[in-house]
Amino acid sequence: MLLAIDIGNSNISLGIFRDGALLMKGKISVMTRRSADEYAAILYDLMRMNRIAREDVRGCILASVVPELTGLVENAARIITGTNILRVGPGIRTGFRIRIDDPSQLGGDLAADTLAALTEYGAPLVIIDAGTVTTIIAVDREKTYLGGCILPGIRSSAQLLKEATALLPSIELGDREDACLGRNSADAMRCGLLLGSAMMVDGFIDRYAALPGMAGARCVATGGSASLVTARCGREIRQDPDLTLKGLRYLYELNRPKKR
């Protein structure tokens, strides 16, 4: 079995694969004050709840965008599995070309997203990863990662509106307001955030689709806020909530040591 770990800004996503099938997935809230032993205990409990024996895990791959957590969670995984941890970073084989100023700056989660989307949907692609931040990236028909944009996440934007203003209320984002005119502050915030996000995504997709090598690009979305961000988009966007975990599995297969 393979343990895949994706450390994000808000949550740590976990997946366990056997023969390519995702047997278990779970999330742990990010807390930098936890020790490696505490993370190990949480991981062990999740595996035990899903009837997965620690000794059955023979490999582990980890991607992280939170440097202060990387070592802690890596040590936790090593405590539980007893295996060497493959960390996604500079020097890892991705299976696609990267055309950005400094390829070492490509986040492990985006590398995983890209490889999984290329493997399962083909090129060219526009990939939306909507979490604490929203990233929109373009991959051309030659399987070249061209770059992309980074936007505030929809939930982060809602929180910022509340924190930065004295009179605006706290709101729940949900599938409520489709009108472009809010009749009260809460509805105005909701339609601004939801429709505004959809318009931004549609706008970037249109611009990326006009780039050389991007004609006919498929659109794939993942991340905890993907459905909120893309629900009102005009383009057809495939939802794949497990894209990053699947990409970590593909990266592991591409980079694991060959048996002698």
Side-chain angles (χ1 to χ4, degrees):
M1 291 186 186
L2 172 69
L3 170 62
I5 304 173
D6 174 35
I7 304 175
N9 290 292
S10 301
N11 295 291
I12 301 170
S13 298
L14 308 165
I16 290 183
F17 292 87
R18 183 174 62 193
D19 299 329
L22 184 58
L23 294 184
M24 182 209 95
K25 62 179 180 177
K27 287 186 183 294
I28 302 172
S29 296
V30 164
M31 289 184 64
T32 55
R33 293 183 180 180
R34 284 187 176 128
S35 67
D37 287 340
E38 288 175 305
Y39 277 113
I42 295 170
L43 176 57
Y44 177 71
D45 285 342
L46 281 172
M47 292 171 60
R48 188 174 60 177
M49 286 170 55
N50 287 273
R51 299 180 180 179
I52 293 174
R54 55 192 288 182
E55 56 269 19
D56 289 340
V57 177
R58 302 298 178 87
C60 180
I61 183 169
L62 178 148
S64 175
V65 296
V66 187
E68 60 266 36
L69 278 179
T70 305
L72 282 174
V73 177
E74 187 173 320
N75 288 337
R78 190 175 291 111
I79 290 169
I80 293 301
T81 66
T83 64
N84 291 325
I85 313 301
L86 176 61
R87 186 190 296 186
V88 181
I92 197 167
R93 294 191 296 276
T94 62
F96 55 88
R97 289 182 289 273
I98 303 172
R99 194 198 298 169
I100 59 176
D101 293 342
D102 183 358
S104 68
Q105 291 185 349
L106 179 63
D109 55 342
L110 298 183
D113 288 346
T114 302
L115 181 56
L118 282 171
T119 302
E120 304 208 352
Y121 305 107
L125 287 162
V126 176
I127 305 168
I128 301 108
D129 192 330
T132 305
V133 299
T134 297
T135 58
I136 309 172
I137 58 180
V139 184
D140 72 11
R141 64 171 172 261
E142 301 299 325
K143 298 184 179 181
T144 301
Y145 183 105
L146 300 178
C149 66
I150 301 174
L151 308 167
I154 190 168
R155 297 186 191 278
S156 302
S157 297
Q159 184 63 29
L160 179 61
L161 274 177
K162 172 57 183 171
E163 292 177 354
T165 58
L167 295 178
L168 291 180
S170 296
I171 61 169
E172 290 292 329
L173 291 170
D175 195 14
R176 291 181 52 188
E177 183 58 54
D178 281 314
C180 61
L181 293 172
R183 303 295 182 182
N184 54 67
S185 295
D187 283 347
M189 292 168 67
R190 260 188 294 272
C191 74
L193 289 163
L194 295 169
L195 290 178
S197 294
M199 291 174 185
M200 284 192 291
V201 170
D202 277 337
F204 275 106
I205 292 173
D206 287 344
R207 294 200 176 209
Y208 290 170
L211 295 173
M214 289 296 294
R218 297 179 177 89
C219 302
V220 184
T222 193
S225 297
S227 59
L228 282 176
V229 171
T230 63
R232 293 159 183 79
C233 289
R235 290 270 187 160
E236 181 181 349
I237 301 175
R238 174 73 175 265
Q239 303 289 319
D240 191 335
D242 301 323
L243 191 71
T244 309
L245 291 176
K246 290 190 289 188
L248 289 174
R249 179 180 75 83
Y250 290 130
L251 286 171
Y252 182 82
E253 294 296 331
L254 197 60
N255 288 272
R256 69 176 175 178
K258 294 181 180 179
K259 295 181 181 179
R260 295 181 179 180

